[in-house]
Amino acid sequence: MSEIPFLVKLGDALEKAMASDAAAGGRRRNRPLGVWRSAAPTILLAVSSLIVCGVVAIALTLHSASRHTGGNPLARALPVGSGTRLDGHAGPVSSVAFSPSGRLLATATENGTVQLWDLRRNSLSGTLKGLVRIVDSVAFSPNGRIVAAGSRGGAVRLWDAPARRQLGGALKAHAGSVYSVAFSPDGRILAPASAAGTVQLWDAHSHRLLGQLNNHAGAIASVAFSPDGRSLAAADIRGTVVLWDVRSRRPLGASLQTHHLVNSVAYSPDGQTLAVANGDQGTVGVWDVQRHRLIRTLHIGNSGPVNSVVFAPHTRILATGGGTGTVQLWSLPGDKPLATLNGGTGPVFSVAFSPDGRTLAAGGFSGTISVWRGVA
């Protein structure tokens, strides 16, 4: 009889998820619907959904109950290979971002909070509140004074990072959920992207809307500014990546057609190439942004969908995070991984390098953050 309540709750969750994803423009990234305890005391059943073209795929994952943190957020540094594990989130970690100094790590969660971690002490430094919906993306301003986060409700909130206080009211950036936010390298512009297929450009200081980019037919999963701040890459779920001229707000030539679902994009430090995570293929495409040409495809192997890509500053090292909880390091132009890191986070949703490129952080389904030092 114990299976019946589980199946009822599973059915209810799927119905809600299908309605939510349809309203949000059919977002395709793996996300947990919920966690239920089975009759066995040491097993948790985690249910994730992947909705592509109206088809629902279900994955059941077994987790040890001892990894379920619950309770108040408390950090503990545990060795995981050559890394450190920070525990304390009550839900999955959807996004991670380093402060410019590399001393703080901001993490966004699906329970509507953003947490700041002191990496010198491996401890929780503060919690930024104000978002009541799932937070999908978080970013530090280049001067480290502002933290921005976008949520499923379509709002973007800004906080004064040192003071841990909210800056004004929420920016009602989009009618649809905000899946990605990015600051320009000079810190003047904030670009939130949404399920409505639009990217808005805001003055990060006056909170004034500067303009909107409207050339996408599907929900936008990821945006990234080029290192010189002149262009912005925006990728949508239909596999189209548009390179925008930030000043004129017009596309820079033809769009990049990947023909795959795209989860994440990242510019190389020299701005000449763009890494594109193909979420439905388990591959990463490396594109020449001047010629708009695919120059290399990285095959991640059995790690499932690639959810996040990021370049290490000042190097050609690329980190990828994917479906089985591993983070792989690549040295371009090579097409074989240098190393595979396993932090025990479950499926990885976000990876980030510190500004000096020596520390790598990953967050994912389990709510655990893995931090590796001396990586690049």
Side-chain angles (χ1 to χ4, degrees):
M1 297 296 291
S2 63
E3 292 85 2
I4 294 177
F6 169 76
L7 290 176
V8 170
K9 187 167 186 180
L10 174 59
D12 291 342
L14 285 176
E15 183 177 355
K16 292 178 181 178
M18 291 176 68
S20 174
D21 278 10
R27 191 182 190 201
R28 79 279 169 252
R29 195 185 323 190
N30 286 331
R31 285 303 187 210
L33 298 178
V35 178
W36 298 272
R37 190 177 302 277
S38 71
T42 60
I43 297 295
L44 293 177
L45 291 174
V47 183
S48 298
S49 72
L50 178 64
I51 298 181
V52 181
C53 301
V55 179
V56 181
I58 306 300
L60 295 180
T61 306
L62 298 181
H63 294 271
S64 167
S66 64
R67 292 186 181 182
H68 182 64
T69 56
N72 295 326
L74 295 173
R76 53 193 177 95
L78 297 176
V80 181
S82 60
T84 297
R85 194 175 76 188
L86 304 176
D87 287 332
H89 283 294
V93 176
S94 52
S95 182
V96 296
F98 279 92
S99 66
S101 68
R103 295 177 179 177
L104 292 178
L105 182 73
T107 58
T109 69
E110 298 199 345
N111 64 0
T113 62
V114 174
Q115 293 185 347
L116 299 180
W117 300 84
D118 185 333
L119 296 182
R120 294 171 299 181
R121 298 181 175 88
N122 294 323
S123 63
L124 185 64
S125 176
T127 298
L128 309 180
K129 300 180 180 180
L131 289 165
V132 297
R133 303 288 294 276
I134 292 172
V135 184
D136 277 309
S137 184
V138 65
F140 266 100
S141 63
N143 65 6
R145 296 199 61 84
I146 301 175
V147 174
S151 74
R152 294 284 177 94
V156 175
R157 288 193 183 273
L158 305 177
W159 293 270
D160 181 307
R164 310 287 196 267
R165 62 177 178 83
Q166 190 171 313
L167 295 171
L171 306 180
K172 187 59 179 177
H174 296 279
S177 299
V178 175
Y179 293 147
S180 183
V181 293
F183 281 97
S184 61
D186 62 8
R188 295 179 180 179
I189 298 175
L190 176 67
S194 81
T198 58
V199 180
Q200 291 185 342
L201 303 178
W202 292 78
D203 185 304
H205 302 291
S206 69
H207 301 180
R208 180 173 59 90
L209 182 63
L210 302 174
Q212 184 164 291
L213 311 178
N214 296 309
N215 201 31
H216 291 268
I220 300 175
S222 181
V223 291
F225 280 95
S226 62
D228 62 11
R230 295 178 180 178
S231 63
L232 176 77
D236 64 43
I237 64 170
R238 296 178 181 268
T240 298
V241 181
V242 179
L243 304 180
W244 295 90
D245 183 295
V246 175
R247 179 174 295 180
S248 68
R249 298 168 201 157
R250 294 183 178 180
L252 291 167
S255 58
L256 313 183
Q257 297 296 331
T258 71
H259 306 293
H260 301 293
L261 300 174
V262 177
N263 279 339
S264 178
V265 293
Y267 274 97
S268 60
D270 62 9
Q272 298 302 306
T273 55
L274 186 75
V276 179
N278 300 321
D280 59 340
Q281 293 291 311
T283 62
V284 173
V286 181
W287 292 76
D288 182 319
V289 298
Q290 297 298 324
R291 300 179 181 179
H292 292 217
R293 180 171 62 91
L294 179 66
I295 56 178
R296 184 166 290 100
T297 299
L298 307 179
H299 296 273
I300 307 303
N302 62 353
S303 62
V306 184
N307 292 324
S308 184
V309 291
V310 64
F311 277 96
H314 317 303
T315 73
R316 300 287 291 178
I317 301 296
L318 178 73
T320 63
T324 61
T326 60
V327 174
Q328 290 185 323
L329 299 178
W330 309 74
S331 180
L332 300 183
D335 57 3
K336 301 295 183 183
L338 291 174
T340 298
L341 308 175
N342 190 343
T345 64
V348 174
F349 294 153
S350 181
V351 290
F353 272 107
S354 61
D356 64 6
R358 295 188 54 79
T359 304
L360 177 68
F365 175 77
S366 70
T368 296
I369 307 139
S370 294
V371 180
W372 295 274
R373 294 175 171 86
V375 174

